[in-house]
Amino acid sequence: MENEIMVGIGGAAGDGGASTADNLALTSARQGLHVYVYTSYQSLIRGGHSWIRLRLSTQMVNNVSDQVSAMIALNQDSMDRHLQELAPGGLCIYNGDKVKPGKAPEGVQLCPLPVFELAGKDALPIMQNTVGLGALTGLLGLEFASLSSVFEHTFKKKPQVVKANVDAAKAGYDFAVKTYKKISNPLGRTGAKLAMVHGNNMIALGAANAGCKVYCAYPMSPASGVLHWMGAHGPSLGICVRQVEDEIGVANMTIGAAQMGVRAMCATSGGGFALMTEAIGMASIMEIPVVMINVMRGGPSTGLPTKQEQGDLNQAIGASQGDFQRIIMAPASIADCYTSMEEAFNLAEKFQMPVLYLSDLLMSEGHMTLETSFLDREFKIDRGEMVFEDDGKGQSYYRYKDTPSGVSPRAIPGVPNHLYVSATDEHDEDGVTISDVYTDPVVRKRVVDKRERKMQGVLAALPKPKLEGPADADTTIVTYGSTWGVVSEAVERLNKEGIKCNHLSVKFLVPFQEKEVTEILKGKKNIIVVEMNKSGQFARHLRAETGIAATGHVRKYDGEPFEPKHVVNGIQECLKGQKLVETGSVEPGWRTPHPPGPGVLSTSSTH
Amino acid sequence: MATAVAATPRDAKLYKPEVPPDWCPGCGDYGVLTVLQRACGELGIPNEQLMVISGIGCSSNLPGFFKSYGMHSLHGRSLPVATGAKMANHEMTVIACGGDGDGYGIGQGHFIHAMRRNVNLTYIVMDNEIYGLTTGQTSPTSETGMKTKSTPHGNPEGQLNPIALALAAGCGFVARGFSGDINHLKSLYTQAIQYPGFALIDVFSPCVTFNKQNTFGWFKERVYKLEDKGHDAANWNAAMDRSKEWGAQIPIGLFYKNPNPKPSIDAADPALQGQGLAKAKKLGLAAEQRKKLIEEYV
Ligand SMILES: Cc1ncc(C[n+]2csc(CCOP(=O)(O)OP(=O)(O)O)c2C)c(N)n1
Ligand code: SF4
Ligand SMILES: [Mg+2]
């Protein structure tokens, strides 16, 4: 695309690559450019290698794209790893005093900076990043004023630090513009007012906007960002935030809070989610609305704590004993992480059941810009049938009253004359257990039917799935969750290349909109499922729910997210008759074989 | 706390629901329940202001036999559930209860952390030194050498000391009662409910069906009251010393009550300074709050 540029920033953890990337992203966002950022990092606090890719564009973008054209190599390792990946017309910025250049690919400009001379001999080592960022700003044709305003904003209270950074950046900017060629397609400015966010703070902000009042968590990558946001903002927003001793405690505490009538939420990743599963059944049989987030990462077990996978669908589907009612939903993008919180809490409360919300590392830790006007909106709050005050009808109140919809009005504890005890044991309409002294197969059947009836109500309340792209195409790509962004782009490219296809992204996994999905897929010649796991969990689910077996499968499970090229190639292979394409990221620079090479210091890990 | 104002005492019968307890005749848990009904009556707590939350076990059936709001949750999880309930509505009086297996076995991690966290709730453990509901296996408080279904050759493991554990974990109110001494137990309950922090009452509540060793008679012969021996409940070290006594002489009563308790976690939480969170009429962010939060990302 003409109106965009892909940047890579490579360095060791602790080199300041992340803040350099943040500053570049903010600089771009301040001039109305959309940004999407994905960081491939290792589970290390210091050392190792982290490769941050930023896509800057005049339009909203939902994936990190295929190839980098401009890069800052913060250390030798990054130079050695990534120089060969740069696209023609690209450039590589590095500290000429420290880093030796490799052989640049055809059409790639090497841009060494005399950092000592530009920043001064006594400058802190971190200033090399600022000089580099200044140079990059100049060569990409971004406005220097945007960059300096970012420093002013970041170091508000320290004018000296602002000045040191602005001076160093300006030196880099001037030197680069004078010495090297600018890229051929500078991006300019748009009128958009943009916020730079990541999925975890969208989940947290969305929860707060939806009225979440109690948040519980135990730290676990890649979900901890939600806890950090809540920890920082909870006290001033009137949200009670507890870090609990383990995820069993987290789930139970969240459920205890929700029972009292607050909107309550917790978040974790697969391992923590496994510990929560007994409690999910409790929320289900007690009919307590809770929102439980699983930010998926590479599994099984500890797996890949800092890598991407959609591997916990099976776990979510089987996440408790017996036939337990729950909603399983997966947002499709970072923006959707925000708005889906509105839906999640409303569904949970209207139907009085747990909502299992599947995010993943790609969305939760991926950064992107969103229009501030998109974020600044009041959420609709629908709490369903609740009793907040003594309505004089207490005599005939049954907490688990068998109603046509299966939903029983929920009196919150504290209301006079509506007393009840909720039990994890099976219970009758009055909440009295029928598991011990009182046993009654007829009542058991009736209350199971009552709870299950709610699922019909949920189905009727869900928004209908929508097909994207040309409706008359006989090839449909089916996805769920975060693969939406990359697949949308791949589908667009394929259509441009004359391969007609469309895209169905499924948001609600349970209950499954069997009728609507079947209607959409009926008569399609090619149905190709693209998902990020080895065994095809989503394809199996689709088949179990609809009887529709996909004709082709594109899968990735190497820890790095799909890029459009993987999806495009995979779909093309499937259309040529291949049933299963297992694709991967094969860039040599992304691999770190053992034993650790020079500069790879493992001091502590993040998971 | 809802009980801070001196309320008019109420009849203990008001806390009896239609459903009668289903414990074995003679089970120690009857006493625990009756005394709780009397204590709540004495403190005059309205039924709807009480939230009684248990785990799973014979003893954990208690909320079903007590007229209030309640939850009969999962095995070992009464404390996190009760903590969540307290956070969501700190104006309610929250009482957690369950068995020795529930609290000191499967729920032991939550037990320690709930005390460290200092949630303002009362925790009653019906300690029968056995797993009753699952028909008589060894429990963390079973004596070493005790023969149970799972240890027919004698329990090879050590016996947990919940009193010492509670003291070490920073619990500000540590007491032990005996279901065979109703009036004494009632005074422990009323003190515990009024204590502004986490309060533990470990109650000897014999299982007449599966524990043939630690019977009512066995306890009657051994228990003595700390207050009769001039124990100073404000002295943590003295409490720790007393907690070690087990054998011919076993102390009951108040081991320790922190004379200068710090505010409980719910009292200190900035989000819980007004009315109970669950009572909020309008949910979601105010327009100004939302704008400010979004501005952080610009
Ligand atoms: C997760 C789980 N594991 C095991 C059980 C089975 N179980 C139910 S009650 C119980 C032990 C009860 O002992 P205790 O808590 O001392 O209560 P008591 O019956 O003695 O009053 C066990 C092991 C269960 N319900 N849930
Ligand atoms: S089995 Fe033991 S603990 Fe359970 S009810 Fe009977 S006597 Fe009580
Ligand atoms: Mg027991």
Side-chain angles (χ1 to χ4, degrees):
Chain A
M1 267 186 245
E2 279 298 292
N3 52 353
E4 65 176 25
I5 176 117
M6 268 67 81
V7 179
I9 296 175
D15 271 354
S19 58
T20 308
D22 281 352
N23 289 338
L24 174 61
L26 283 170
T27 301
S28 311
R30 285 187 169 212
Q31 47 188 93
L33 296 174
H34 290 264
V35 186
Y36 185 99
V37 190
Y38 182 76
T39 305
S40 304
Y41 67 111
Q42 295 162 331
S43 194
L44 294 169
I45 306 297
R46 299 219 159 264
H49 175 64
S50 103
W51 180 227
I52 308 171
R53 285 177 292 162
L54 301 94
R55 183 176 186 181
L56 317 180
S57 171
T58 49
Q59 285 159 27
M60 178 145 159
V61 278
N62 275 293
N63 69 80
V64 77
S65 193
D66 294 311
Q67 196 178 8
V68 164
S69 50
M71 91 176 229
I72 302 182
L74 294 177
N75 59 8
Q76 189 66 47
D77 184 40
S78 305
M79 169 67 83
D80 300 344
R81 283 169 183 269
H82 301 296
L83 184 62
Q84 297 314 314
E85 293 166 31
L86 298 186
L91 51 91
C92 175
I93 292 171
Y94 56 99
N95 182 347
D97 299 334
K98 266 175 50 188
V99 175
K100 283 202 233 11
K103 187 173 162 357
E106 189 67 29
V108 169
Q109 198 187 177
L110 287 172
C111 310
L113 304 175
V115 169
F116 285 146
E117 191 188 312
L118 296 173
K121 276 232 152 24
D122 310 325
L124 294 169
I126 203 82
M127 277 300 165
Q128 75 155 6
N129 301 6
T130 311
V131 174
L133 185 56
L136 185 68
T137 303
L139 296 179
L140 296 185
L142 298 172
E143 295 165 16
F144 187 77
S146 308
L147 176 59
S148 58
S149 79
V150 170
F151 290 129
E152 278 154 28
H153 185 81
T154 314
F155 302 113
K156 249 189 299 254
K157 296 197 179 96
K158 300 177 192 150
Q160 268 163 315
V161 182
V162 173
K163 184 168 179 329
N165 276 282
V166 171
D167 288 351
K170 187 78 172 81
Y173 182 96
D174 290 341
F175 176 84
V177 172
K178 201 171 65 207
T179 319
Y180 303 115
K181 239 185 24 247
K182 279 195 194 180
I183 58 157
S184 56
N185 59 331
L187 299 176
R189 148 182 289 282
T190 83
K193 183 153 193 245
L194 298 172
M196 185 72 212
V197 301
H198 58 67
N200 276 339
N201 49 43
M202 287 299 91
I203 290 171
L205 179 67
N209 207 19
C212 175
K213 284 282 167 204
V214 173
Y215 179 75
C216 304
Y218 184 83
M220 186 167 190
S221 301
S224 301
V226 183
L227 174 60
H228 301 165
W229 191 99
M230 286 290 183
H233 297 95
S236 64
L237 298 176
I239 299 173
C240 174
V241 183
R242 293 266 79 82
Q243 180 176 324
V244 189
E245 54 274 10
D246 55 39
E247 288 88 348
I248 299 179
V250 166
N252 283 279
M253 203 177 282
T254 310
I255 291 166
Q259 171 79 342
M260 305 302 282
V262 299
R263 288 191 156 190
M265 179 174 96
C266 55
T268 182
S269 189
F273 189 75
L275 295 184
M276 295 183 172
T277 53
E278 191 193 16
I280 292 170
M282 169 162 75
S284 197
I285 197 167
M286 287 185 174
E287 305 194 43
I288 300 177
V290 278
V291 176
M292 307 173 105
I293 316 272
N294 178 357
V295 182
M296 298 182 282
R297 69 189 206 188
S301 194
T302 307
L304 295 172
T306 60
K307 300 288 175 194
Q308 162 67 359
E309 195 162 281
Q310 294 178 304
D312 290 350
L313 178 57
N314 284 353
Q315 186 185 197
I317 291 172
S320 210
Q321 316 98 295
D323 290 319
F324 58 105
Q325 292 70 33
R326 76 289 191 211
I327 293 162
I328 306 180
M329 61 189 285
S333 67
I334 293 174
D336 204 21
C337 282
Y338 179 63
T339 39
S340 292
M341 294 314 302
E342 180 181 28
E343 259 172 322
F345 276 105
N346 285 344
L347 287 170
E349 286 207 316
K350 268 167 76 175
F351 298 100
Q352 302 179 15
M353 62 176 72
V355 169
L356 314 180
Y357 184 107
L358 299 179
S359 179
D360 56 28
L361 181 133
L362 176 64
M363 290 187 286
S364 273
E365 294 201 337
H367 289 57
M368 73 180 285
T369 44
L370 293 172
E371 305 250 359
T372 53
S373 57
F374 167 83
L375 299 172
D376 190 9
R377 152 174 108 66
E378 192 173 337
F379 281 180
K380 185 168 153 262
I381 288 168
D382 183 352
R383 306 201 65 185
E385 297 179 59
M386 293 179 74
V387 180
F388 288 100
E389 257 140 44
D390 191 1
D391 51 9
K393 292 188 234 152
Q395 278 312 314
S396 58
Y397 179 73
Y398 292 119
R399 167 63 187 95
Y400 297 107
K401 192 174 165 64
D402 189 2
T403 61
S405 67
V407 177
S408 325
R410 185 162 72 104
I412 66 164
V415 175
N417 302 317
H418 288 67
L419 307 178
Y420 60 88
V421 175
S422 293
T424 53
D425 283 61
E426 186 60 281
H427 42 262
D428 63 14
E429 288 180 276
D430 202 9
V432 174
T433 60
I434 56 162
S435 48
D436 299 333
V437 175
Y438 313 108
T439 52
D440 191 333
V442 176
V443 172
R444 156 70 176 179
K445 181 165 183 302
R446 197 195 308 147
V447 293
V448 170
D449 289 344
K450 167 203 134 47
R451 286 193 300 266
E452 191 60 31
R453 214 177 302 134
K454 295 192 292 182
M455 298 307 284
Q456 294 309 312
V458 177
L459 263 181
L462 298 181
K464 303 287 170 247
K466 276 204 284 291
L467 194 61
E468 297 172 40
D472 59 339
D474 60 7
T475 296
T476 298
I477 319 302
V478 193
T479 62
Y480 88 97
S482 69
T483 40
W484 169 79
V486 70
V487 171
S488 294
E489 183 161 335
V491 164
E492 212 173 287
R493 273 194 214 176
L494 285 163
N495 279 296
K496 272 192 195 139
E497 288 171 24
I499 299 169
K500 204 162 171 188
C501 54
N502 53 33
H503 178 196
L504 174 66
S505 166
V506 174
K507 181 166 189 175
F508 293 92
L509 288 319
V510 174
F512 199 84
Q513 293 166 289
E514 180 219 327
K515 256 217 252 73
E516 290 85 351
V517 171
T518 305
E519 187 59 34
I520 289 172
L521 296 180
K522 193 178 62 188
K524 296 288 182 213
K525 192 162 146 240
N526 307 296
I527 295 169
I528 301 169
V529 172
V530 180
E531 60 184 308
M532 274 227 50
N533 59 73
K534 168 77 179 168
S535 66
Q537 296 184 11
F538 176 64
R540 190 185 305 113
H541 186 53
L542 176 70
R543 187 172 184 171
E545 292 288 339
T546 62
I548 297 171
T551 57
H553 303 268
V554 182
R555 295 179 194 159
K556 196 167 189 284
Y557 44 89
D558 59 357
E560 297 298 335
F562 277 113
E563 293 168 21
K565 65 180 180 226
H566 300 125
V567 179
V568 167
N569 293 344
I571 292 171
Q572 282 169 334
E573 291 304 311
C574 287
L575 292 176
K576 282 185 213 147
Q578 199 165 323
K579 262 203 90 70
L580 170 65
V581 180
E582 295 180 328
T583 180
S585 297
V586 294
E587 286 79 353
W590 296 17
R591 304 173 64 186
T592 303
H594 69 84
V600 183
L601 277 173
S602 166
T603 47
S604 52
S605 60
T606 54
H607 49 297
Chain B
M1 209 175 68
T3 47
V5 203
T8 340
R10 303 172 77 225
D11 192 333
K13 281 204 201 79
L14 293 170
Y15 303 92
K16 278 199 179 111
E18 297 76 42
V19 179
D22 60 9
W23 293 306
C24 304
C27 174
D29 296 348
Y30 283 100
V32 174
L33 171 67
T34 307
V35 177
L36 185 62
Q37 288 162 335
R38 288 188 197 169
C40 290
E42 192 170 307
L43 294 171
I45 311 173
N47 302 63
E48 69 272 10
Q49 288 303 317
L50 274 161
M51 187 74 192
V52 183
I53 298 178
S54 66
I56 294 290
C58 293
S59 41
S60 289
N61 288 355
L62 185 142
F65 316 135
F66 189 91
K67 197 166 180 177
S68 70
Y69 282 102
M71 289 174 89
H72 183 176
S73 79
L74 294 168
H75 191 34
R77 311 305 164 204
S78 67
L79 287 176
V81 174
T83 303
K86 188 73 184 179
M87 298 300 137
N89 189 349
H90 60 279
E91 295 173 81
M92 301 268 289
T93 298
V94 179
I95 295 170
C97 62
D100 42 322
D102 193 73
Y104 306 148
I106 191 167
Q108 162 274 141
H110 306 310
F111 175 56
I112 292 170
H113 290 286
M115 292 187 288
R116 175 181 68 80
R117 194 170 281 131
N118 192 23
V119 194
N120 183 8
L121 54 82
T122 300
Y123 184 34
I124 299 168
V125 180
M126 288 158 260
D127 189 353
N128 54 13
E129 294 81 23
I130 198 89
Y131 282 18
L133 190 65
T134 45
T135 71
Q137 300 83 3
T138 183
S139 121
T141 51
S142 295
E143 291 182 276
T144 304
M146 180 171 166
K147 289 190 170 147
T148 70
K149 270 195 190 155
S150 58
T151 56
H153 309 292
N155 174 20
E157 300 185 1
Q159 184 188 15
L160 188 93
N161 180 342
I163 302 295
L165 187 62
L167 288 166
C171 186
F173 185 104
V174 184
R176 180 151 66 201
F178 175 36
S179 162
D181 192 339
I182 297 243
N183 284 329
H184 179 252
L185 186 58
K186 191 181 74 184
S187 124
L188 293 177
Y189 281 178
T190 52
Q191 289 181 73
I193 293 171
Q194 286 174 308
Y195 178 75
F198 191 98
L200 168 72
I201 310 162
D202 179 79
V203 188
F204 291 141
S205 180
C207 169
V208 296
T209 307
F210 295 112
N211 190 337
K212 303 295 184 194
Q213 185 166 314
N214 312 105
T215 59
F216 271 102
W218 189 91
F219 283 114
K220 275 214 176 91
E221 272 172 29
R222 288 168 173 78
V223 297
Y224 76 89
K225 292 182 183 131
L226 285 165
E227 51 272 34
D228 294 348
K229 296 282 163 75
H231 169 66
D232 174 10
N235 184 336
W236 189 89
N237 288 318
M240 206 51 153
D241 284 344
R242 293 280 180 180
S243 80
K244 290 180 226 157
E245 294 178 17
W246 187 271
Q249 289 278 294
I250 302 177
I252 59 172
L254 183 58
F255 283 82
Y256 180 64
K257 184 176 170 185
N258 189 338
N260 303 302
K262 287 218 183 77
S264 61
I265 186 88
D266 38 293
D269 194 312
L272 306 185
Q273 296 310 305
Q275 61 172 5
L277 292 177
K279 292 183 175 171
K281 285 269 154 15
K282 177 146 171 38
L283 294 190
L285 297 170
E288 275 318 300
Q289 284 177 322
R290 191 169 48 240
K291 279 205 167 43
K292 217 175 117 202
L293 291 165
I294 296 167
E295 220 33 59
E296 288 179 20
Y297 302 112
V298 177

